[in-house]
Amino acid sequence: MDKLTLANSVFATYAIAAAIMILKAISMSWLTVLRMMQEKGGFRAPEDLRKTPLNPVPDPKQLAPNERVERIRRIQLNDLENLPFFLVAGLLFVMTDPSLTLARWMLYGYVVSRLLHFGAYFTAQTHEVRATFWTIGSLILIYMTCHVLVVALVR
Amino acid sequence: MDKLTLANSVFATYAIAAAIMILKAISMSWLTVLRMMQEKGGFRAPEDLRKTPLNPVPDPKQLAPNERVERIRRIQLNDLENLPFFLVAGLLFVMTDPSLTLARWMLYGYVVSRLLHFGAYFTAQTHEVRATFWTIGSLILIYMTCHVLVVALVR
Amino acid sequence: MDKLTLANSVFATYAIAAAIMILKAISMSWLTVLRMMQEKGGFRAPEDLRKTPLNPVPDPKQLAPNERVERIRRIQLNDLENLPFFLVAGLLFVMTDPSLTLARWMLYGYVVSRLLHFGAYFTAQTHEVRATFWTIGSLILIYMTCHVLVVALVR
């Protein structure tokens, strides 16, 4: 049977996990926009100081870093360092024909670890909490990638 | 018919859109290089202040942020926040077997929105112009991803 | 024959190259963690100044940029600007059915260029050395992407 089709439950599991992670990543952009509007600051481009309907009273301070906005940018950067690699590693992992049970633990486990990481970072939990969730996700990613590498090398 | 082959017009549409977006992303790196050479500055690594054929008269000021270089870096960061997710979401979207017409509107629409976003950012248009093009692309990405999620969940 | 299966040597070549690049990217995160622990600094989130078992003597200076940590972050950012696009371009390149010899030169050549780029950046070699390795990788990526675009357009 072709592995890369939604009729394959393992692939469908990947598609669901990937879609959730992509929506999560996109949400960080929208959350940055929301926070910039709430804070009326945290902008980055000089032209954003022009007077417009969305920014009726421009002020040079609007270009200074704003911690509430920067927090979302840090979370987003963490996503960029992790999610694109998960998306490709997960797809390759599906092609090694893992059991559905293993695939669900790995793929949904990764999703859960990243959502918990977001919760910990967003609410400024102590570093150890955030680091624990990040580590779980990273170890899942390493496991899936090593699995792909071994299967591809010894086939 | 296998969906993941260039004989499938929907997949070929994706391949064309993806290739254009990848070339666009790579171009930002080269444009950064070009601007650093024009400005003889905007460098980031301390070792770039060594005297070399490409930098015959080093100066510590070369490590200071240079707005003409930083603008390209901001555009590139915006690409990193969007394009990798488009590349995977688009591939998954193809696998849901959309009509060719819908696929063309979504995939080429995204490409056009990102090229217009680049034009607006590069020429420092007012925030609202840039934000409009970004929003169109982001909504296309959200639509495609939600479509994948629903199809994978209800199959 | 289906191209997207590990039974296809060209695809297996891609899977090996992709897995190595993903592990390389993940390693940058772990290397950043390692350096932050060695330096006891280079942190970014304000909550990381709380007293915890991993940070028994917090100090506001820990949030200042630390060059040994920043170097790894620059390398990682360079990865983010390149690897996600390689991962997708490589997959699409496989689907154009290149010869195994060409695929090996392109995919493994890219991997080697990125590992050498890492070595040059990590050891702070003169800019020209690092730029040479980066350029080789970037040209391979451009070649593969243009190949995909042409094949998809003229099919």
Side-chain angles (χ1 to χ4, degrees):
Chain A
M1 190 188 70
D2 191 0
K3 293 186 196 82
L4 293 183
T5 156
L6 288 164
N8 173 8
S9 296
V10 174
F11 181 79
T13 302
Y14 165 73
I16 294 166
I20 295 171
M21 289 289 86
I22 293 171
L23 290 173
K24 195 276 176 194
I26 302 169
S27 304
M28 294 307 102
S29 293
W30 287 95
L31 195 49
T32 304
V33 169
L34 180 68
R35 287 241 161 146
M36 287 192 296
M37 288 173 72
Q38 287 174 338
E39 299 287 315
K40 302 192 196 340
F43 305 160
R44 282 186 166 171
E47 61 267 30
D48 295 356
L49 293 188
R50 283 185 209 140
K51 186 171 174 170
T52 66
L54 284 175
N55 192 14
V57 191
D59 181 332
K61 283 184 210 149
Q62 290 179 313
L63 285 185
N66 175 301
E67 170 54 22
R68 290 193 77 235
V69 177
E70 290 305 308
R71 176 171 298 280
I72 310 302
R73 292 200 212 268
R74 286 196 300 271
I75 296 175
Q76 186 170 31
L77 182 58
N78 195 284
D79 278 352
L80 302 189
E81 293 165 2
N82 290 278
L83 300 189
F85 304 107
F86 166 75
L87 293 172
V88 176
L91 183 65
L92 293 174
F93 183 63
V94 169
M95 299 182 72
T96 65
D97 213 8
S99 75
L100 181 56
T101 307
L102 178 64
R104 280 180 174 158
W105 274 102
M106 292 293 118
L107 297 165
Y108 292 154
Y110 188 85
V111 169
V112 170
S113 78
R114 291 302 299 180
L115 296 180
L116 289 172
H117 177 268
F118 169 74
Y121 215 155
F122 190 70
T123 59
Q125 298 301 307
T126 298
H127 168 264
E128 271 76 348
V129 178
R130 183 179 96 225
T132 300
F133 296 133
W134 178 84
T135 300
I136 293 169
S138 193
L139 292 177
I140 290 174
L141 186 46
I142 290 170
Y143 173 80
M144 290 197 304
T145 310
C146 288
H147 186 81
V148 168
L149 187 58
V150 169
V151 170
L153 282 171
V154 303
R155 94 214 138 81
Chain B
M1 191 188 70
D2 191 0
K3 293 184 195 84
L4 293 183
T5 155
L6 287 163
N8 172 9
S9 296
V10 173
F11 180 79
T13 301
Y14 166 74
I16 292 166
I20 295 171
M21 290 288 85
I22 293 171
L23 290 173
K24 195 275 178 196
I26 303 170
S27 303
M28 293 307 101
S29 293
W30 286 96
L31 194 50
T32 303
V33 170
L34 179 68
R35 287 240 162 147
M36 287 193 296
M37 288 174 71
Q38 287 173 339
E39 300 287 315
K40 302 193 199 333
F43 305 160
R44 283 186 165 172
E47 62 267 30
D48 296 356
L49 293 188
R50 283 187 208 138
K51 186 170 174 170
T52 65
L54 283 175
N55 192 15
V57 191
D59 182 332
K61 283 183 209 149
Q62 290 179 311
L63 285 184
N66 174 301
E67 170 54 22
R68 289 194 76 235
V69 178
E70 290 303 309
R71 175 171 299 280
I72 310 301
R73 292 200 211 268
R74 287 196 300 270
I75 297 175
Q76 185 170 31
L77 182 58
N78 195 283
D79 278 351
L80 302 188
E81 292 165 1
N82 289 278
L83 300 189
F85 304 106
F86 166 75
L87 293 173
V88 176
L91 183 64
L92 293 174
F93 183 63
V94 169
M95 299 182 71
T96 65
D97 213 8
S99 75
L100 182 56
T101 305
L102 178 64
R104 280 182 174 156
W105 274 101
M106 293 292 118
L107 297 165
Y108 292 154
Y110 188 86
V111 169
V112 170
S113 78
R114 292 301 299 179
L115 296 180
L116 289 172
H117 177 268
F118 169 74
Y121 215 155
F122 189 71
T123 58
Q125 298 301 307
T126 298
H127 168 263
E128 270 78 347
V129 178
R130 183 179 96 225
T132 300
F133 296 134
W134 178 84
T135 300
I136 293 169
S138 193
L139 292 178
I140 291 174
L141 186 45
I142 291 170
Y143 173 81
M144 290 197 303
T145 310
C146 288
H147 187 82
V148 168
L149 187 58
V150 169
V151 170
L153 282 171
V154 304
R155 94 214 141 80
Chain C
M1 191 189 69
D2 191 0
K3 293 185 196 82
L4 293 183
T5 156
L6 287 163
N8 172 9
S9 296
V10 173
F11 181 79
T13 301
Y14 165 74
I16 293 166
I20 295 171
M21 290 288 85
I22 292 170
L23 291 173
K24 195 276 177 195
I26 302 169
S27 304
M28 294 307 101
S29 293
W30 287 95
L31 194 49
T32 304
V33 169
L34 180 68
R35 288 240 161 148
M36 287 193 296
M37 288 174 71
Q38 287 174 338
E39 299 287 315
K40 301 191 195 341
F43 305 161
R44 283 186 166 171
E47 62 267 30
D48 295 356
L49 293 188
R50 283 186 209 139
K51 186 171 174 171
T52 66
L54 283 176
N55 192 16
V57 191
D59 182 331
K61 282 183 211 149
Q62 290 179 312
L63 285 184
N66 175 301
E67 169 55 21
R68 290 193 76 234
V69 177
E70 290 304 309
R71 176 171 298 279
I72 311 300
R73 292 200 212 268
R74 286 195 301 271
I75 297 175
Q76 186 170 29
L77 183 58
N78 195 282
D79 278 352
L80 303 188
E81 292 164 2
N82 290 278
L83 300 189
F85 304 107
F86 166 75
L87 293 173
V88 176
L91 182 65
L92 293 174
F93 183 63
V94 169
M95 299 182 71
T96 65
D97 213 8
S99 75
L100 181 56
T101 306
L102 178 64
R104 281 182 174 157
W105 274 102
M106 292 291 119
L107 297 165
Y108 292 154
Y110 188 85
V111 169
V112 171
S113 77
R114 292 301 299 179
L115 296 180
L116 290 172
H117 177 268
F118 169 74
Y121 214 154
F122 190 71
T123 59
Q125 298 301 308
T126 298
H127 168 264
E128 270 77 347
V129 178
R130 184 179 95 226
T132 301
F133 296 133
W134 178 84
T135 300
I136 292 169
S138 193
L139 292 177
I140 291 174
L141 186 44
I142 291 170
Y143 173 81
M144 290 197 304
T145 310
C146 288
H147 187 81
V148 168
L149 187 58
V150 169
V151 170
L153 282 171
V154 304
R155 95 215 138 79

